[in-house]
Amino acid sequence: MADYKYQDLLIEKGDVVLDAGRNPVLIQDRAVIAQDIKHAIIESNLAVELIAERSPSKKADIRTKLELLVEEDVRLVPGTVRLEEPTEGTIYVFATTADFGDVTTEITNV
């Protein structure tokens, strides 16, 4: 049996994902960190504010708040968080973990 530092249930669209045998799908390490980042952003409601905001200066402030929120995760290397908003309603988060390399997560239609 493999040893993992982090393990969690896979959550998509607010629900636990089940495999063909109706058992919860487990994720490990880097995927856990990505999922935790995504959930922290969604729960903060900052993604909704960013998408709804029209003022460029206020959008920049919200992006900074999002970056600071993600930077709070002690499993990430400080200063490596980067956000991209390629289309309206989509936010990509890029960062480097301390133990597992680069991590990317996508938040869409929040």
Side-chain angles (χ1 to χ4, degrees):
M1 183 171 197
D3 284 332
Y4 302 108
K5 191 167 184 178
Y6 308 107
Q7 192 167 9
D8 200 356
L9 301 175
L10 177 60
I11 308 291
E12 289 181 355
K13 298 180 182 177
D15 202 5
V16 176
V17 176
L18 303 177
D19 65 14
R22 309 252 329 130
N23 297 306
V25 174
L26 297 176
I27 56 174
Q28 295 81 28
D29 298 332
R30 185 187 330 211
V32 172
I33 296 170
Q35 180 170 275
D36 289 349
I37 291 168
K38 182 176 184 174
H39 290 160
I41 290 171
I42 291 169
E43 291 167 8
S44 74
N45 210 36
L46 289 171
V48 174
E49 289 180 34
L50 180 64
I51 291 167
E53 186 57 59
R54 296 293 170 236
S55 166
S57 62
K58 289 183 181 177
K59 280 182 88 92
D61 289 344
I62 296 168
R63 288 170 70 71
T64 300
K65 288 179 185 178
L66 275 170
E67 287 179 11
L68 292 173
L69 172 71
V70 175
E71 286 271 354
E72 288 178 6
D73 193 321
V74 296
R75 301 169 293 184
L76 300 178
V77 175
T80 63
V81 174
R82 184 171 48 93
L83 300 176
E84 289 185 13
E85 193 180 1
T87 61
E88 190 71 23
T90 302
I91 301 168
Y92 289 105
V93 180
F94 303 94
T96 302
T97 66
D99 298 319
F100 309 108
D102 293 337
V103 65
T104 304
T105 191
E106 173 185 1
I107 298 98
T108 57
N109 300 324
V110 288

